[in-house]
């Protein structure tokens, strides 16, 4: 049963698609993308565009619009529109956590205490939701690590963080 609503940015959606995990994420979570991310993925036919469009048609992925964010958060000025809108949507109460692979966006999440993971941690989330075996999760993490641009520090954290930290 799906219990959490998750906002996903474009680069994370692409990585999850390339690693064959987007369908599993749709099955485990209520996936949402902001309209600007949906447009970015589908207007330019990036990898995963068809899967995202198919997910939208089947209502496995919702397109959401950011609302005015409450609080005194000032977003970094150099964020891409998709990441900015994703953060604004979260701040407006649009999800339980974010999947974001943009370094500036992740840094903002840490400073603002916004729950987030990068795509590299999604296999671990799927394993904890019984959607992947531990062996399958390790293999999926290796695929994502090969596809993405992660520092050794980020890879080490993803492999060793506690399940409660997720």
């Amino acid at each position: 049963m799906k219990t959490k609503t998750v906002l996903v940015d474009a680069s994370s959606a692409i990585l999850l698609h390339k690693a064959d995990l987007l369908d599993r994420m749709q099955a485990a979570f209520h996936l949402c993308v902001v309209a600007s991310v949906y447009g970015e993925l589908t207007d330019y036919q990036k990898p995963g565009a068809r899967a995202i469009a198919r997910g939208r048609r089947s209502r496995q992925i919702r397109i959401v619009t950011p609302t005015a964010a409450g609080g005194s958060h000032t977003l970094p000025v150099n964020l891409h529109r998709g990441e900015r809108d994703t953060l604004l949507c979260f701040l407006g109460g649009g999800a339980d956590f974010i999947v974001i692979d943009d370094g500036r966006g992740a840094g903002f999440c840490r400073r603002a205490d916004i729950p987030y993971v990068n795509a590299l941690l999604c296999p671990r989330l799927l394993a904890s939701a019984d959607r992947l075996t531990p062996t399958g999760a390790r293999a999926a993490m290796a695929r994502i690590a090969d596809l993405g641009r992660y520092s050794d520090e980020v890879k080490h954290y993803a492999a060793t963080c506690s399940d409660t930290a997720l």
Side-chain angles (χ1 to χ4, degrees):
M1 178 165 69
K2 299 177 186 183
T3 59
K4 301 279 184 182
T5 299
V6 182
L7 281 162
V8 182
D9 77 339
S11 57
S12 299
I14 291 168
L15 285 169
L16 292 169
H17 168 73
K18 286 181 173 181
D20 295 322
L21 294 176
L22 192 57
D23 288 341
R24 289 178 192 258
M25 288 292 290
Q26 290 177 52
F29 301 102
H30 298 285
L31 287 190
C32 300
V33 295
V34 292
S36 56
V37 165
Y38 183 79
E40 179 182 343
L41 289 169
T42 57
D43 288 350
Y44 301 111
Q45 288 300 300
K46 292 193 176 173
R50 288 184 181 161
I52 294 288
R54 192 171 43 254
R56 180 183 186 199
R57 284 192 303 275
S58 68
R59 298 189 178 164
Q60 293 293 310
I61 296 176
R62 285 187 311 136
I63 310 303
V64 294
T65 304
T67 59
S72 59
H73 296 290
T74 303
L75 295 176
V77 295
N78 54 353
L79 282 177
H80 182 271
R81 181 177 176 200
E83 282 78 20
R84 184 199 68 217
D85 289 352
T86 297
L87 291 168
L88 286 173
C89 192
F90 180 87
L91 291 169
D96 294 302
F97 68 96
I98 298 174
V99 180
I100 189 166
D101 274 271
D102 177 83
R104 291 180 298 263
F108 176 80
C109 288
R110 282 189 299 276
R111 290 188 301 278
D113 286 328
I114 293 173
Y116 80 99
V117 296
N118 55 33
L120 188 57
L121 284 167
C122 287
R124 296 229 9 231
L125 290 176
L126 290 168
S128 70
D130 293 325
R131 303 289 177 153
L132 274 178
T133 65
T135 301
R138 284 190 296 279
M141 287 178 72
R143 281 195 310 274
I144 293 172
D146 288 343
L147 294 166
R149 296 178 289 175
Y150 297 103
S151 69
D152 288 339
E153 180 182 354
V154 169
K155 290 177 193 178
H156 177 73
Y157 177 80
T160 62
C161 73
S162 68
D163 287 343
T164 56
L166 291 175

